[in-house]
Structures are given as C-alpha cells and as structure tokens.
Amino acid sequence: MTEAVLAIEPEISEATLTVLKRRYLQKDKRGRVVETPGQMFMRVASYIAAAEKAHGNDPGVYRDLFYGIMARLEFLPNSPTLMNAGTDLGQLAACFVLPVEDSISGIFETVKNAALIHKSGGGTGFSFSRLRPKDSRVGSTGGVASGPVSFMKIFNVATEQVKQGGTRRGANMAVLRVDHPDIMEFILCKQASADLNNFNISVGVTDEFMVKARTGLPYNLVDPRDGRVVGTLNATDVFEAMVKQAWHNGDPGIIFLDRINQDNPTPLLGEIESTNPCGEQPLLPMEACNLGSVNLAKFVVEKKGKPTIDYASLGKTIALAVRFLDDTIDRSIYPLDEITAMVRGNRKIGLGVMGFADLLFALELPYNSDRAVALAEEVMAFVQSEARKASRALAQERGVFENFDKSVFRNDKDRRFRNATVTTIAPTGTLSIIAGSSSGIEPLFALSFIRTIMDNETFLEVNPHFMAVAQAQGFYSEALMEKIAKTGTIKGMTEIPESVRKVFVTAHDVSPAWHVKMQAAFQKHTDNAVSKTVNLPRDATEHDVAEIYTSAFDFGCKGVTIYRDGSKANQVLSISGAT
Ligand code: CDP
C-alpha cells in the first residue's frame, strides 16, 4: 500500500461516527468497536478488489484506488457492502425482489428467504399480484383463501422479529396490480391495520388504467390464476381512492408497470412486477442489485474564479465505481442459489448520485429553476454515458453478462455491456450521512434542523454551504441558525440577502411541480428508477396529489411517492418545533 493512500483519512463528523459505530464498524465479541472509518474503507476495498485477480489484474492496485474514492467520500457503495464485506455474512446487496407463488409452501418459502435477506441488511420487494383473491376456493381443503393483504401481515411479523444487523429493521415493498380483485382492500390496508408497519406499498398501474382514470371508464378485475375477468371497477374511483390514502398517510405509492417494462433489458426472462423497498430498483423475481452513489458535491472546482463541475475527475470516479460494483457481484454471498444465478446472469448494478442539492448550492442555482433541471439532465446524462462506457470496457476485458444473448442488446454491436443495467438513483439515507452530503437528488429538508438517527439520538445540524455563505456575507449568528431550525426555511427572512434566499431553497419551498420535473430529468438518463419523495406542505389537497401522479406519468417517471408534512407519526427528519 502506498504512503499516499494511507494518508487519506476520511473526514467524519461526530454524528456520522455515531452511525458508523452502531452498525458499520466491526466489533469484537464483547461488542467493542475495533475499527476506524478508514479501516472500514480499507476492509471493503481489499475484499472487493480481490475479485480483480480472476481477471489477471493486480488486486493491490485496485484496493488502493477503491480505498481512495471511498475515503475521499467521492463514492460509497450501499450499506450492506460497507457492513458485510470481509465478514462471515458477506452479503453485499441492498435490493432484492422475491417471487410470491400462489401456494402455502411458496408463500412460506418466501417468508423464510426474506428473513435471511433482512438479516444481512438487504431490503425485499414482492409482488403479491399472483395470489388468488380473498374468499376464493382452496382446492386441497375446500376452505376459502384469505388473500394478499392477510399474507402480507405474516411477512410483517417475520420482519419485525429479524432486526437487520441488530438494529436496522428490514424494509419491504408490496406491489399489487391495479386489476387484482383485492385492490381496494390493498389500497386501504395500511390505514386499516397497524400490522403492516414494515411495508411500503405501491399500486402497480398499467397505461390503460391511467388513461381510463382520466375519463372515468371502467376497467376489468382479473383472477390471476386463469386470467378470467371477475368484475369491473371505475378507474377514476380507484385512482381517487389511492390519492386519498396517499394524502392521508403517504401510502400507497404508485408504480407505472408498462413504463418499467419498457426498460426491462431481459424481457425473455420475465416481466418486472415489483421494485425494492424504496422504489428505485425494479427487478425480476429472485434478482438482487448492488447500488453505489457518487457524491456530486466533491466535484466542484474553481475555474476562472467561477465554481464549475470537474467532469474529468467525475468521469474517472464513475469508471472506478462501475468496476467496484461489478466486482461486488462476484464477491457477494447471496442467500439462495437461484439469486446467485440470476444476479450473475444479468449483473445489474445501480450507480447513482448524492449531494445534488449541495452541488446546486455550490453553483448558486435554485433547485426550483429551469437551469437546475437542465443541470440535472446534463449531469445524469454524463453519469449514464460514462457508466455505460465503463461497462463496455469491462465487457471487453471480462465478457458480456451471461444472459446477454437473451437481452434487448443481443444484436447491438455498440451496446455490448458487462451489466444489464448500470444506473439507479438511491435515497442514500445513511450513505449521505456518512458522506456528509445532501441525500440523493433531494432538495435539502431544512438548512438547519434536528437530525434523529437510529430512532433516538438527535443532532442539530446547519448545512455547511449555508454556514460558509452566512459567515462570508456577515449575517451568521447562532440565534439566526436557531431561528431557522424552528421554521426550516429562510423564505421571508429579510435579514438574509435576497440573492441567498433565492439559492438556498429547501424541500417545502419547492413546489410539487418542480419536484416531479426534477425526478423526470434524472429518470431520462437512468436505466433503473429514481428514488424521490415529492414533499407537500401540511395543507396540500388531494387534488395536488392527483396532479403529481398524473404529471409523473406524463413525464415518463417509473413511479412516484408523496409525503405530506405531518402525515406520519414518526418522521425520520423533523423541523424542530414544527412537528
Ligand atoms: O444509504 P443506504 O445505502 O443505507 O440505503 P438507501 O440508499 O437509503 O436505500 C437503498 C435501499 O436499501 C432501499 O431501497 C432498500 O432496498 C434498502 N434498505 C433497507 O433494506 N432497509 C433500510 N432500513 C434502508 C434501506
């Protein structure tokens, strides 16, 4: 290892160290932390780089390169990689989708497999659409079936009992197709039952449904066992019920199944029916995906006195990140042989970005502006094209993914990729804390706020970009920061210069329309999907929610999630005094 590499120690704040100590840093048998953040990155780098040996490369070279991009907080792999690389668990992916078959043994097999995945820090998505509707006949017993929602409760209880890595509870996504006969019960299920708290739920809608919802037309409900039409519902009524529930407490979300399957790189292997828990990763049943994110805030340089994006350096980091994620596939131990086969067959990876709001602050662009949306497209188009370039180069070195001949790329000389997909935009809930950046592509929640970590520890945080500007322009004071922490926004605070107020917007200053436009801009250049929450003020209406759903559909998003302030009892982030 070179001196230069060892000299890079990650800059880690107090709050971050708390997070790392709880779950990421290795502990001895007595529970004492035995690793520094730098040693954690070295453990991960050397474990992942060992994959290079099989391709005739020197693992030591890549270990140092991988260490460098992580220790400088320019790139981080998803949490399970940081937690489990080089440990007995060895499961490195964050996202899984498991099939739920219409039989008791199939359902309970999946409950078991989900438990194994949760234990390793992964999240699971399921489509319950294949289960026979409630009250259908059960052939072997002559009884009646209890339907998807009642089985979801079993998954929920199992999840509750298996805490991820000791403290993190497993996350689940349940999808039900809008034409399943139990759809209304599903839409209302989280309202009706507290037994589904470990689930995000999403209605899987078709293009046909969305068109009919605009005009109040009926659509068919279909028995998943034989495709028989068993009833009809009015599409507008169902759409409005979804909107009403989402307004009420954030669930259900909506996913656009036809749009997702347009981008399915291997339709011959099956249709995509579900996503992972936070919605950014559509996958086939038994498929998993490793995610990773580059921290855009780290790629701003001064050029001729003006802040600019250092694309040359970003490009190099992207190429290394793609290699890292591809190596991760070979180094990960998956809980089931079928998953290993699927993952090695398609080699999907999901590289995305975090720190986008920080980037906008540095470039002095308001999030809610056409220039910011144009920048989103520019940056993500770059990430996508560099990631594809890197995946093509890896294919030349190591071969295309095993199922390439069954993929949509099979006759395309220019798209001989190592990976069936290369880009995904993750929420980066924990990664952004580690990187000290704004999360994913979200606007900042507040310029100064109380962060609650792992359910109980709280920290007052002031955004470093804002702090720097406040100090440079002479309006910084502790009293002002406290005042901002109470409201979360500086809108209307005349003691702050107008030019600053324009740039430093936060989630609630950004209207829903801008949130959706931003999501669509990133989706345009992302193979998989984009994690984004459209934040709404407490007094938003159901009509606002309906507008968001239809515009997300019109703009080509793959799904959308809304959150109205105060609509859930336990908000992860809260503005001090406001909740
Ligand atoms: O930042 P981190 O890598 O921890 O995760 P994230 O980007 O916030 O979430 C990415 C994915 O990790 C989610 O969509 C889930 O699939 C999974 N996840 C989970 O299983 N359990 C959690 N508590 C958080 C995330």
Side-chain angles (χ1 to χ4, degrees):
M1 196 185 317
T2 61
E3 294 285 312
V5 167
L6 264 183
I8 311 167
E9 260 298 320
E11 277 177 41
I12 299 288
S13 73
E14 212 31 51
T16 303
L17 205 58
T18 308
V19 175
L20 292 178
K21 279 183 183 161
R22 291 257 188 109
R23 282 195 288 117
Y24 292 71
L25 302 178
Q26 294 295 294
K27 294 184 178 136
D28 65 14
K29 285 202 178 97
R30 293 168 59 191
R32 285 176 309 200
V33 172
V34 292
E35 202 177 47
T36 64
Q39 286 166 338
M40 170 185 77
F41 289 136
M42 189 45 79
R43 164 173 55 80
V44 175
S46 60
Y47 184 78
I48 300 301
E52 292 290 331
K53 207 166 166 205
H55 308 296
N57 299 324
D58 177 0
V61 170
Y62 286 101
R63 176 197 60 202
D64 291 358
L65 290 169
F66 292 162
Y67 176 80
I69 54 174
M70 288 188 285
R72 288 190 299 270
L73 304 172
E74 291 170 359
F75 161 80
L76 290 176
N78 56 210
S79 288
T81 304
L82 293 175
M83 296 190 280
N84 303 334
T87 72
D88 291 345
L89 213 47
Q91 195 298 103
L92 309 178
C95 312
F96 291 77
V97 166
L98 294 175
V100 185
E101 280 172 22
D102 185 36
S103 73
I104 289 295
S105 71
I107 291 168
F108 281 87
E109 192 59 32
T110 303
V111 172
K112 180 188 88 183
N113 292 335
L116 293 174
I117 291 167
H118 291 166
K119 198 176 120 187
S120 70
T124 43
F126 319 89
S127 161
F128 285 89
S129 304
R130 289 171 188 263
L131 295 191
R132 73 194 68 182
K134 193 174 184 167
D135 299 332
S136 313
R137 300 276 305 175
V138 177
S140 54
T141 62
V144 290
S146 44
V149 172
S150 71
F151 284 113
M152 282 164 60
K153 291 180 187 164
I154 297 172
F155 283 79
N156 197 73
V157 175
T159 304
E160 193 68 37
Q161 302 311 320
V162 187
K163 306 260 177 173
Q164 291 179 17
T167 49
R168 165 153 138 166
R169 218 177 284 146
N172 295 303
M173 166 68 88
V175 175
L176 197 71
R177 281 180 65 95
V178 75
D179 54 12
H180 191 285
D182 290 4
I183 192 62
M184 289 310 292
E185 185 189 2
F186 180 79
I187 289 169
L188 301 172
C189 73
K190 287 200 62 169
Q191 159 102 351
S193 160
D195 305 343
L196 292 168
N197 58 325
N198 295 314
F199 268 99
N200 290 329
I201 64 167
S202 273
V203 177
V205 302
T206 57
D207 288 0
E208 182 199 342
F209 172 83
M210 287 304 285
V211 171
K212 288 186 169 173
R214 278 181 217 247
T215 41
L217 289 171
Y219 74 100
N220 291 335
L221 297 176
V222 177
D223 187 323
R225 289 170 297 177
D226 52 14
R228 218 163 27 94
V229 174
V230 292
T232 57
L233 283 174
N234 180 292
T236 307
D237 292 348
V238 173
F239 184 78
E240 280 173 2
M242 286 162 60
V243 162
K244 188 170 180 196
Q245 276 314 116
W247 177 90
H248 195 74
N249 65 8
D251 277 305
I254 187 167
I255 65 171
F256 304 117
L257 291 172
D258 292 327
R259 173 70 184 87
I260 284 177
N261 278 290
Q262 252 172 39
D263 283 354
N264 179 358
T266 55
L268 291 178
L269 299 182
E271 202 178 305
I272 297 177
E273 300 171 29
S274 180
T275 68
N276 70 327
C278 303
E280 72 277 14
Q281 189 62 49
L283 291 170
L284 293 169
M286 289 294 183
E287 204 170 17
C289 186
N290 308 305
L291 308 181
S293 302
V294 290
N295 179 4
L296 294 173
K298 294 283 177 185
F299 297 92
V300 181
V301 286
E302 288 275 325
K303 234 183 196 169
K304 294 183 190 145
K306 271 187 71 183
T308 1
I309 299 176
D310 182 355
Y311 277 115
S313 166
L314 179 59
K316 282 186 200 144
T317 300
I318 292 167
L320 267 176
V322 167
R323 179 180 283 270
F324 180 105
L325 293 173
D326 188 62
D327 285 346
T328 304
I329 293 171
D330 298 326
R331 297 295 281 154
S332 181
I333 299 162
Y334 299 102
L336 283 175
D337 291 345
E338 287 108 307
I339 296 179
T340 309
M342 265 311 251
V343 175
R344 300 238 165 114
N346 287 347
R347 304 192 73 85
K348 281 183 185 168
I349 58 171
L351 182 66
V353 299
M354 57 184 158
F356 181 65
D358 292 331
L359 175 74
L360 293 178
F361 288 158
L363 301 181
E364 296 173 14
L365 294 177
Y367 191 96
N368 45 357
S369 68
D370 285 325
R371 287 178 64 204
V373 171
L375 184 82
E377 280 213 32
E378 178 187 304
V379 168
M380 202 54 212
F382 181 79
V383 174
Q384 172 90 311
S385 103
E386 293 296 304
R388 285 182 173 168
K389 213 193 283 174
S391 183
R392 270 198 309 267
L394 287 178
Q396 276 176 358
E397 180 191 309
R398 312 172 169 186
V400 290
F401 59 95
E402 272 170 36
N403 294 328
F404 184 85
D405 287 338
K406 295 181 199 142
S407 79
V408 294
F409 311 122
R410 63 185 176 279
N411 296 320
D412 193 336
K413 276 200 211 72
D414 297 328
R415 297 198 293 170
R416 293 189 61 76
F417 297 130
R418 173 74 173 159
N419 314 90
T421 66
V422 291
T423 43
T424 301
I425 298 194
T428 71
T430 319
L431 293 193
S432 62
I433 299 176
I434 301 174
S437 71
S438 59
S439 43
I441 60 159
E442 298 291 359
L444 224 60
F445 185 74
L447 290 168
S448 160
F449 63 94
I450 309 283
R451 195 193 280 278
T452 310
I453 293 170
M454 318 280 165
D455 298 340
N456 51 22
E457 295 216 22
T458 56
F459 296 83
L460 173 72
E461 289 193 13
V462 180
N463 177 265
H465 298 269
F466 181 65
M467 177 112 94
V469 168
Q471 281 166 343
Q473 299 203 15
F475 64 85
Y476 177 84
S477 77
E478 259 182 41
L480 181 63
M481 297 304 129
E482 273 168 28
K483 184 175 164 193
I484 296 168
K486 288 214 171 73
T487 58
T489 171
I490 56 174
K491 206 173 170 180
M493 288 190 184
T494 45
E495 60 268 50
I496 298 172
E498 203 197 329
S499 56
V500 175
R501 277 185 275 150
K502 226 172 165 178
V503 170
F504 285 89
V505 291
T506 50
H508 286 295
D509 304 329
V510 175
S511 69
W514 283 111
H515 278 282
V516 177
K517 269 191 207 173
M518 195 56 93
Q519 180 179 337
F522 277 99
Q523 183 61 71
K524 229 180 200 175
H525 304 287
T526 302
D527 286 338
N528 295 302
V530 175
S531 167
K532 175 94 190 68
T533 302
V534 177
N535 275 291
L536 295 167
R538 213 169 269 239
D539 61 1
T541 62
E542 289 175 23
H543 178 74
D544 295 332
V545 178
E547 280 282 314
I548 292 165
Y549 282 8
T550 44
S551 61
F553 176 70
D554 290 342
F555 289 162
C557 295
K558 292 185 178 174
V560 71
T561 309
I562 64 121
Y563 180 71
R564 191 173 58 85
D565 189 37
S567 62
K568 265 183 198 158
N570 283 324
Q571 286 190 191
V572 179
L573 301 174
S574 62
I575 299 169
S576 153
T579 54

